[in-house]
Amino acid sequence: MVTSIESQLLSRTTELRAQVELIVNSTPVIDVHTHLFPPEFKDLCLYGIDELLTYHYLIAETFRSARISYDQFWAMSKTDQADLVWKTLFVDNTPTSEATQGIISVLDVFGLDTRATNLEEARAFFSSRNKAEHLEQVFDIAQVSGVVMTNDPFDDAEDQLWSSGISVDRRFSSSLRLDSLVNTTDLAVSTITRVRAFLDNWIQRRNPVYIALSLPPDFNFPSEDARDRLLREVILPTAKEHRLALTLMVGARRGVNPQLRDAGDALGRADVTAIERLCAQYPEVQFLVTFLSRENQHELCVAARKFSNLMPFGCWWFLNNPSMVSEITRERVELLGQSFIPQHSDARVLEQLIYKWKHARRQIADVLYDSYEQLLHNGRAVTREEISRDVSRLFSGNFNELVRQD
Ligand code: FIX
Ligand code: ZN
């Protein structure tokens, strides 16, 4: 039976909202940047309440309210640290920050007491879980079809695991993260040749979906430094030769407070024109780019309008808060339509997939609804199929097209 297009048009706002929410919540997403590892990676695969509570976002927040020195905190065991985080942020205070609300979302989804005075019940629950079944359930709840890992080719622990012949869960794709290479300064010509051969070999064996690099706010291109040489002589030629996209994450100021360890990084406003010059000089390379500073977001959208090899992605780290996700996603929809990747989770602990995607989907659904509602007001209604097509493009289509290696 052929139904006329008129009968499929969502011209009532209540029905439109219901359909947008349904589609956004049920469309599988590819998580394009995480720090997750599959169970085959043993201790590198983090899950459970103690790992969740000792996430560096929560450690930074704990130091703002607990009276404890850095040395005292780092001398504690992981379970004692988790107890302190729970008491400080969830018992003595109300968990209103995004990172604390994330813990509440995770406990709630598993039917655990979100007002508990200690972690007994949560610990018993997570330790009773079968790892493989737990992973299935988390991916299912989060509606995540695949995640991209962050793989350091110079990390011995990781290398030993790869080399032990494990077969990696197909939902976990690898990415070649080159921060540790860029932080070295020894750049003899022989080193460049050796590094290129080493990376070619790694790529052949590990089959990454892209090459990635995080950069400080003062990143410039071109420039007279060792990083520029590595980019021109190693990273860009490798990306070109293997037809791999280059993911650039710009604006992290590392180690602003080293006492906080992983929680000690901050951000700074960067220069988007450096990315414009890269995109112009290397039109055959696809660039996936995210900036850490709120102040760079609008400029990134405008740059993406000028270069079709530039794909903005994610609301990274300090921007992964509902107010920022809403603002940035609105800006992107208004300037780029559906030609961007709205979010990545940056999850380090498995169950974070649940809250990071639940919270992101809520903001994305709101933004999309408002945009379709405006379209309706301006004279055009959309259909369910059109909403599905748009959400699939945002959640997986844009990424799949970019990393296609044919
Ligand atoms: O450089 C990165 O990939 C960052 O995402 C991390 O280094 C950071 O610690 C983080 O987890 C942010 O969410
Ligand atoms: Zn990350």
Side-chain angles (χ1 to χ4, degrees):
M1 193 181 77
V2 182
T3 41
S4 69
I5 183 85
E6 279 75 23
S7 69
Q8 299 167 40
L9 293 175
L10 298 165
S11 357
R12 289 196 356 258
T13 50
T14 43
E15 177 66 356
L16 176 63
R17 181 175 281 281
Q19 288 300 329
V20 171
E21 281 176 8
L22 190 72
I23 293 165
V24 169
N25 288 329
S26 60
T27 303
V29 72
I30 298 180
D31 196 335
V32 306
H33 169 65
T34 77
H35 298 264
L36 295 176
F37 290 94
E40 302 83 67
F41 277 73
K42 308 216 167 67
D43 292 350
L44 295 179
C45 169
L46 305 182
Y47 72 102
I49 193 65
D50 291 308
E51 297 295 350
L52 285 166
L53 285 170
T54 52
Y55 187 32
H56 66 71
Y57 291 27
L58 290 169
I59 289 177
E61 291 175 28
T62 299
F63 276 110
R64 298 198 52 75
S65 300
R67 297 279 148 259
I68 187 163
S69 73
Y70 297 118
D71 287 345
Q72 281 170 323
F73 182 82
W74 296 120
M76 288 161 84
S77 68
K78 186 164 282 189
T79 46
D80 287 349
Q81 289 175 354
D83 283 334
L84 178 71
V85 172
W86 181 258
K87 181 176 181 325
T88 306
L89 301 178
F90 297 82
V91 179
D92 296 346
N93 290 285
T94 307
T96 52
S97 74
E98 170 60 11
T100 55
Q101 298 227 21
I103 298 286
I104 298 302
S105 287
V106 172
L107 294 177
D108 186 57
V109 102
F110 290 116
L112 298 166
D113 183 4
T114 57
R115 301 185 57 88
T117 50
N118 62 52
L119 298 173
E120 231 172 85
E121 182 199 32
R123 281 195 180 117
F125 170 78
F126 286 107
S127 62
S128 73
R129 305 287 290 164
N130 167 293
K131 222 170 173 180
E133 283 168 18
H134 188 57
L135 180 97
E136 292 306 320
Q137 199 186 359
V138 169
F139 269 62
D140 189 48
I141 296 169
Q143 283 291 299
V144 168
S145 55
V147 301
V148 180
M149 303 181 277
T150 296
N151 303 104
D152 179 353
F154 304 100
D155 184 287
D156 289 340
E158 250 187 77
D159 193 58
Q160 270 174 23
L161 283 158
W162 285 111
S163 310
S164 66
I166 48 169
S167 73
V168 179
D169 185 318
R170 285 185 59 245
R171 288 167 297 189
F172 289 73
S173 304
S174 65
S175 74
L176 173 55
R177 180 74 176 245
L178 291 180
D179 286 34
S180 52
L181 172 68
V182 171
N183 293 335
T184 58
T185 43
D186 173 18
L187 280 176
V189 175
S190 61
T191 315
I192 296 264
T193 320
R194 260 191 303 118
V195 169
R196 279 211 58 181
F198 171 83
L199 295 181
D200 287 346
N201 186 273
W202 195 93
I203 290 168
Q204 262 143 28
R205 283 179 301 144
R206 313 290 179 233
N207 198 22
V209 283
Y210 58 67
I211 300 176
L213 197 58
S214 84
L215 295 159
D218 65 2
F219 170 65
N220 203 357
F221 183 87
S223 99
E224 297 282 314
D225 56 16
R227 185 173 51 220
D228 190 86
R229 192 155 166 227
L230 269 172
L231 263 173
R232 281 175 199 285
E233 296 180 30
V234 177
I235 300 173
L236 285 154
T238 304
K240 254 204 281 195
E241 188 186 315
H242 293 272
R243 283 189 283 157
L244 287 171
L246 182 57
T247 294
L248 299 174
M249 307 177 70
V250 194
R253 272 193 308 131
R254 303 287 180 187
V256 169
N257 182 355
Q259 305 253 49
L260 279 172
R261 301 193 183 174
D262 279 355
D265 300 344
L267 63 80
R269 182 178 181 161
D271 184 356
V272 176
T273 66
I275 300 293
E276 289 175 352
R277 285 186 289 276
L278 264 173
C279 291
Q281 266 189 48
Y282 294 89
E284 64 283 61
V285 176
Q286 299 294 321
F287 294 91
L288 265 157
V289 178
T290 199
F291 279 85
L292 195 48
S293 167
R294 178 192 190 184
E295 281 65 37
N296 285 130
Q297 302 307 317
H298 185 250
E299 293 163 319
L300 174 62
C301 289
V302 176
R305 292 174 67 93
K306 309 299 135 190
F307 297 98
S308 57
N309 58 334
L310 171 54
M311 176 65 74
F313 81 96
C315 301
W316 182 23
W317 202 342
F318 310 111
L319 295 170
N320 193 357
N321 301 318
S323 63
M324 292 293 99
V325 174
S326 174
E327 173 182 301
I328 295 165
T329 310
R330 270 170 216 282
E331 219 162 44
R332 290 173 175 171
V333 167
E334 287 169 0
L335 281 160
L336 302 170
Q338 295 94 47
S339 65
F340 67 97
I341 295 170
Q343 190 53 313
H344 67 274
S345 75
D346 235 308
R348 285 174 180 265
V349 183
L350 179 64
E351 300 86 356
Q352 288 171 343
L353 288 176
I354 293 172
Y355 92 78
K356 298 215 185 210
W357 283 109
K358 176 187 176 196
H359 298 193
R361 284 181 203 266
R362 185 170 179 190
Q363 299 311 316
I364 294 166
D366 265 0
V367 173
L368 287 180
Y369 167 75
D370 286 348
S371 160
Y372 296 131
E373 192 273 330
Q374 240 173 72
L375 192 59
L376 182 61
H377 181 77
N378 291 334
R380 175 169 167 158
V382 292
T383 65
R384 205 184 175 285
E385 284 64 37
E386 287 167 341
I387 301 171
S388 266
R389 176 196 61 194
D390 295 349
V391 176
S392 295
R393 182 172 175 199
L394 292 166
F395 281 8
S396 60
N398 286 329
F399 184 70
N400 280 334
E401 197 163 311
L402 211 125
V403 300
R404 220 185 30 206
Q405 288 175 42
D406 48 11

